[in-house]
Amino acid sequence: GAPRADTDLDDDFSITSTMGKAKKTRKFAVAKKVISPNDTRVKSVAKKAEEKRANKEKAKEPRQIEQTSSALWFQYNTQLGPPYHVLVDTNFLNFSIRNKLDVVRSMMDCLLAKCTPCITDCVMGELEKLGSRFRIALRMAKDPRFERIPCNCKGVYADDCIAQMAKQWRCFIVATCDTELRRRIRKIPGVPTMFISNRRYTVERMPEAFGAPP
């Protein structure tokens, strides 16, 4: 009869038809086709190649080196001097109220000089949004002794506004109890930070603050 093809035979075998029966012979030195690990069709390789190309393009771009402020003498800021202008944060006002500290008097006790607390539009907007919990802080911020600074920011987070203002002008002391904002301000040379420690104001990175606790 006619030879019957077996569908269950492996690919490693070839079928030779003869008169009467199907003959199986193994192919010599046949290996399964495997994609090369360096082939660009492999996702990880393609990703690495894309990153390498992006790094090369980035290396060709001109570098932007920030100009050093003319107010700095190495790390010493020559623009800082009495009367001091202190940029106040939302939580600094809140913690001052909790510790029963008068903002202007405590600043003067710390720096032994006249101090003007300054508040930006972003911080004032944040205080207004926080509602009744911060109504005392909002009333304090509207004190005539506080100087209102227009910042012309649109939808900017208050911490970003303060960091940008301090970096741009370099004539402010930043008053905040937020550890993340203090970490950001430390990276700006010549800008001291004021915070509350042991129910007193203290200043970081400012040798002229003789009234601050050691």
Side-chain angles (χ1 to χ4, degrees):
R4 188 162 53 89
D6 193 353
T7 56
D8 297 332
L9 295 174
D10 293 330
D11 292 338
D12 294 345
F13 295 93
S14 64
I15 302 168
T16 308
S17 180
T18 57
M19 293 296 292
K21 70 175 183 178
K23 190 178 177 183
K24 272 195 309 185
T25 55
R26 182 180 287 276
K27 289 181 181 177
F28 180 70
V30 172
K32 289 185 178 179
K33 290 182 180 179
V34 180
I35 191 166
S36 169
N38 296 326
D39 199 306
T40 52
R41 287 174 291 177
V42 180
K43 283 185 180 179
S44 59
V45 176
K47 191 176 179 182
K48 283 180 183 176
E50 183 67 27
E51 285 176 1
K52 196 174 181 181
R53 189 173 61 79
N55 289 336
K56 276 187 179 178
E57 287 180 3
K58 196 174 181 182
K60 290 178 184 177
E61 292 177 0
R63 288 191 305 161
Q64 182 70 28
I65 299 170
E66 190 179 342
Q67 189 175 358
T68 310
S69 174
S70 59
L72 292 178
W73 171 257
F74 295 100
Q75 292 287 318
Y76 181 73
N77 191 351
T78 56
Q79 280 191 357
L80 279 177
Y84 295 104
H85 290 79
V86 186
L87 272 179
V88 181
D89 192 15
T90 308
N91 59 11
F92 186 81
L93 289 175
N94 192 34
F95 278 105
S96 296
I97 292 164
R98 284 187 187 179
N99 289 292
K100 298 178 181 176
L101 294 167
D102 181 70
V103 176
V104 179
R105 189 179 299 165
S106 299
M107 282 179 183
M108 289 172 70
D109 290 343
C110 177
L111 295 168
L112 298 180
K114 187 182 176 183
C115 299
T116 307
C118 304
I119 192 157
T120 63
D121 290 342
C122 289
V123 175
M124 189 66 83
E126 191 177 57
L127 281 168
E128 287 169 357
K129 283 180 187 175
L130 288 168
S132 59
R133 282 182 59 204
F134 287 80
R135 65 180 183 277
I136 302 169
L138 180 62
R139 197 183 307 156
M140 186 187 287
K142 290 178 179 177
D143 191 301
R145 295 177 296 176
F146 278 67
E147 187 180 331
R148 182 79 174 265
I149 297 178
C151 57
N152 300 322
C153 299
K154 291 184 179 178
V156 177
Y157 186 46
D159 287 4
D160 295 338
C161 174
I162 289 170
Q164 186 181 347
M165 191 77 71
K167 191 175 183 180
Q168 185 178 357
W169 297 107
R170 305 287 175 100
C171 62
F172 294 108
I173 299 168
V174 177
T176 180
C177 295
D178 186 2
T179 51
E180 184 59 37
L181 181 58
R182 279 174 61 193
R183 195 177 294 120
R184 286 175 65 181
I185 298 298
R186 280 192 200 110
K187 293 177 184 176
I188 306 171
V191 180
T193 54
M194 182 180 282
F195 57 98
I196 299 169
S197 175
N198 297 325
R199 295 182 177 270
R200 288 179 66 186
Y201 290 173
T202 184
V203 180
E204 193 176 57
R205 297 193 310 172
M206 189 171 179
E208 298 96 324
F210 299 113

